[in-house]
Amino acid sequence: MLLSRLARVSQEVAATSARSRKIALLAGLFREAEADDVPIVIPYLAGRLPQGRIGVGWKVLSRPVAPAAEASLTVRQVDALLTTLGKVSGPGSQAERARLVGELLGASTEDEQRFLFGLLTGEVRQGALDAVAVEGLAEATGAPSADVRRAVMLAGSLQSVAGALLSDGPGALERFRLTVGRPVLPMLAHSASSVAEAVEKLGACAVEEKLDGIRVQVHRDGDTVRVHTRTLDDITGRLPEVTSAARELPGERFILDGEVISFDDDGRPRSFQETAGRVGSRVDVAAAAREVPVSPVFFDVLSVGGRDLLDLPFSGRHAELARLVPEPMRVRRAVVSGPGDLGAAEEFLAETLKRGHEGVVVKGLDAPYSAGRRGASWLKVKPVHTLDLVVLAAEWGHGRRTGKLSNLHLGARTADGGFAMLGKTFKGMTDTMLAWQTERLRELAVEESGYVVTVRPELVVEIAYDGLQRSTRYPAGVTLRFARVIRYREDKRPEEADSVESLLAAHPEVRP
Ligand SMILES: Nc1ncnc2c1ncn2[C@@H]1O[C@H](COP(=O)(O)OP(=O)(O)OP(=O)(O)O)[C@@H](O)[C@H]1O
């Protein structure tokens, strides 16, 4: 497929607000695409680079290059060139990058240059595009859109489903069934501001402790056990405790969902940093496991004995879980009949906090498991409220922080797929964090002006704050009070950051 075709459709999709028109435009594009184009076309449309980072800064991009008169570049040629670009390193790499970018832009028409510029600087990001692309695929291939959605949910990747559908037709969806050994994206939660609000919304529900560890999905097939993170990385080798616990359960084939966490000798949870450090260590796992042992604590089951349980109501899945996993290895919970029983829910939250956990997750008893979604039926309640925001820029520090990128400009997602800055912070960072962020942000830099370095909006950071206040200086009309960094969330994509809309919904006091 020619880049010019993709660039035109991308522009048309951005220009129309009608969802049906967007779907029709994408369906048209998919009908023309070859299966090999798909892994490039879909991320480009959403404004993502399949290569992740390629280390091209604003300086290189902003050098004017005379455009080509006629479109000839294919998306696969562009992708190959960007892959080469991403691999350039060592002495002379700046000049080599500039040469390759010059080559790319010189072969592009003016429209294509504009598209590439947006793509490389992160400006054409379109957050909601993947959902529209699912509908477009269904329309282009004649597959029912609910089936495409379920396949994407289970595959955890729109690209792979699209590639299979476009080369083999609707029958290819069969390949994306829930299978032991093949991880699926986990179900996620929304926030509620209180247990009362959550119980009011959900009615009969289970109130579960929220453990601040690392999410794991454990697959066992006979003697084979695999452990995956929420981003589907395979971390089996790092967690011998989890594999041996899974082998001792009275089932041969299952998929369990839970959290691994490290407890101290008194049974209180150790800090997230300790658990994360342990789970992150790949060398000398045995020594790390002696120093910081972790335990799996399960809260859901997706499959058992070859039966797919995703569509069972949570109460049914939990009954299966209780048959498979002994109580000490399951999260503690209280079942609550509805708002009339709020006292029991509040008591459980208070007890959970006293035991050192960060809050609770309130779960509707009737809801199926929605893999890869923030289901409306899981609501987390944490007394210390935090936000996941995207770093838009950073300022060079001074004094002790000279040479470090320090003050972060923080953005929340906006309805149009962009980000609105909510404020800045340089608080809460450890020295390690400062060094790490300086390096990462320099790689993401697109423009440097004075002491402010603007970056591709890719890094997600968890921020604690004491509230919102109105402000005319910021585009959303509000700013954060006493924002401070808690940790970077490398497991989250910017599309998963908090939005201005949800923030304002949680703070009625600042609404005009
Ligand atoms: N009982 C539980 N049920 C579901 N998730 C739990 C539970 N205990 C801990 N968790 C963790 O909480 C996360 C759910 O919160 P969410 O989906 O919003 O992700 P998150 O943004 O990482 O949450 P947070 O930043 O609040 O930890 C899960 O991914 C899981 O790792």
Side-chain angles (χ1 to χ4, degrees):
M1 169 172 289
L2 285 177
L3 177 67
S4 61
R5 174 80 179 113
L6 173 65
R8 184 148 21 90
V9 171
S10 166
Q11 204 178 12
E12 285 171 356
V13 169
T16 173
S17 56
R19 196 176 150 83
S20 56
R21 173 84 190 125
K22 287 184 198 275
I23 293 170
L25 282 163
L26 293 181
L29 189 73
F30 292 141
R31 279 190 201 103
E32 289 165 35
E34 288 172 42
D36 287 352
D37 293 332
V38 169
I40 310 163
V41 167
I42 289 180
Y44 279 16
L45 283 167
R48 292 190 301 265
L49 287 175
Q51 289 84 358
R53 283 169 275 136
I54 53 167
V56 170
W58 176 272
K59 260 198 213 125
V60 171
L61 284 172
S62 57
R63 253 174 240 158
V65 176
E70 257 178 59
S72 66
L73 269 177
T74 66
V75 291
R76 274 183 261 168
Q77 286 170 324
V78 175
D79 184 59
L81 198 137
L82 293 181
T83 301
T84 312
L85 244 177
K87 290 192 184 134
V88 174
S89 66
S93 55
Q94 255 332 64
E96 177 60 6
R97 283 200 196 101
R99 189 188 69 75
L100 287 167
V101 169
E103 193 178 297
L104 178 64
L105 295 181
S108 314
T109 62
E110 211 172 325
D111 283 349
E112 291 169 326
Q113 284 194 353
R114 204 169 306 125
F115 176 79
L116 287 171
F117 191 81
L119 180 68
L120 295 172
T121 54
E123 268 169 28
V124 295
R125 218 170 248 292
Q126 296 199 43
L129 199 111
D130 288 353
V132 185
V134 164
E135 305 288 328
L137 263 176
E139 195 171 308
T141 57
S145 56
D147 293 359
V148 181
R149 251 194 312 277
R150 186 172 170 100
V152 170
M153 166 175 118
L154 292 176
S157 149
L158 173 58
Q159 273 103 288
S160 53
V161 174
L165 262 177
L166 291 177
S167 48
D168 302 331
L173 293 182
E174 271 297 298
R175 270 181 251 155
F176 298 96
R177 280 202 309 224
L178 182 69
T179 311
V180 176
R182 207 196 287 155
V184 295
L185 289 172
M187 178 164 174
L188 301 172
H190 275 288
S191 296
S193 58
S194 65
V195 166
E197 183 191 312
V199 175
E200 182 67 41
K201 274 197 183 141
L202 298 175
C205 56
V207 185
E208 297 187 344
E209 57 188 1
K210 185 175 195 301
L211 307 176
D212 199 10
I214 303 283
R215 184 81 175 262
V216 286
Q217 195 175 96
V218 179
H219 292 239
R220 172 173 169 191
D221 188 355
D223 281 341
T224 311
V225 175
R226 312 285 339 160
V227 185
H228 296 269
T229 62
R230 75 183 248 176
T231 45
L232 310 188
D233 297 323
D234 187 330
I235 53 166
T236 312
R238 298 187 223 160
L239 295 172
E241 301 100 316
V242 178
T243 46
S244 58
R247 281 204 191 96
E248 272 159 34
L249 296 178
E252 288 286 313
R253 274 164 72 75
F254 54 74
I255 306 175
L256 288 171
D257 187 6
E259 196 86 354
V260 289
I261 182 162
S262 180
F263 295 104
D264 64 18
D265 296 339
D266 304 330
R268 289 181 72 79
R270 297 206 211 188
S271 71
F272 172 81
Q273 279 71 14
E274 280 173 284
T275 299
R278 158 60 211 280
V279 176
S281 61
R282 298 154 205 260
V283 287
D284 205 351
V285 170
R290 270 194 304 277
E291 199 166 321
V292 186
V294 291
S295 317
V297 186
F298 296 107
F299 47 73
D300 216 319
V301 55
L302 281 53
S303 162
V304 71
R307 275 178 303 133
D308 172 341
L309 306 180
L310 295 179
D311 291 325
L312 271 191
F314 181 47
S315 51
R317 297 199 308 280
H318 195 271
E320 296 281 354
L321 180 73
R323 263 195 284 279
L324 184 65
V325 178
E327 197 172 342
M329 227 191 277
R330 301 198 303 260
V331 289
R332 294 189 205 209
R333 65 194 322 240
V335 174
V336 166
S337 59
D341 202 6
L342 185 58
E346 284 182 332
E347 202 175 301
F348 184 81
L349 169 64
E351 236 173 62
T352 303
L353 295 175
K354 220 186 274 163
R355 283 188 290 108
H357 296 296
E358 60 169 353
V360 291
V361 186
V362 184
K363 300 180 177 177
L365 293 178
D366 294 336
Y369 190 91
S370 7
R373 302 265 165 73
R374 248 171 230 291
S377 59
W378 282 18
L379 296 172
K380 55 182 173 176
V381 181
K382 294 193 291 188
V384 178
H385 200 68
T386 65
L387 294 172
D388 292 323
L389 298 175
V390 176
V391 180
L392 306 177
E395 297 172 10
W396 288 111
H398 30 79
R400 218 172 63 79
R401 291 188 174 187
T402 302
K404 295 277 182 292
L405 281 170
S406 165
N407 205 9
L408 302 177
H409 295 199
L410 305 165
R413 283 188 300 115
T414 53
D416 61 4
F419 299 96
M421 183 170 166
L422 290 178
K424 307 182 189 181
T425 188
F426 53 83
K427 297 205 173 77
M429 293 159 195
T430 60
D431 287 345
T432 324
M433 220 185 247
L434 264 175
W436 181 87
Q437 78 184 26
T438 301
E439 196 175 315
R440 281 292 274 119
L441 292 169
R442 286 179 71 170
E443 289 169 356
L444 294 174
V446 290
E447 188 181 7
E448 185 155 352
S449 154
Y451 54 89
V452 179
V453 177
T454 306
V455 297
R456 272 178 70 89
E458 281 186 6
L459 272 190
V460 177
V461 64
E462 188 174 342
I463 298 288
Y465 66 112
D466 288 356
L468 280 191
Q469 66 194 43
R470 286 201 205 150
S471 163
T472 49
R473 293 212 344 246
Y474 291 102
V478 291
T479 186
L480 303 173
R481 287 178 41 215
F482 303 114
R484 57 221 180 254
V485 174
I486 299 183
R487 59 193 181 221
Y488 274 99
R489 293 298 309 250
E490 286 186 277
D491 56 337
K492 288 205 166 179
R493 289 178 288 125
E495 292 81 12
E496 298 174 86
D498 283 294
S499 65
V500 170
E501 194 190 4
S502 64
L503 184 64
L504 292 180
H507 289 279
E509 72 279 7
V510 291
R511 267 183 255 153

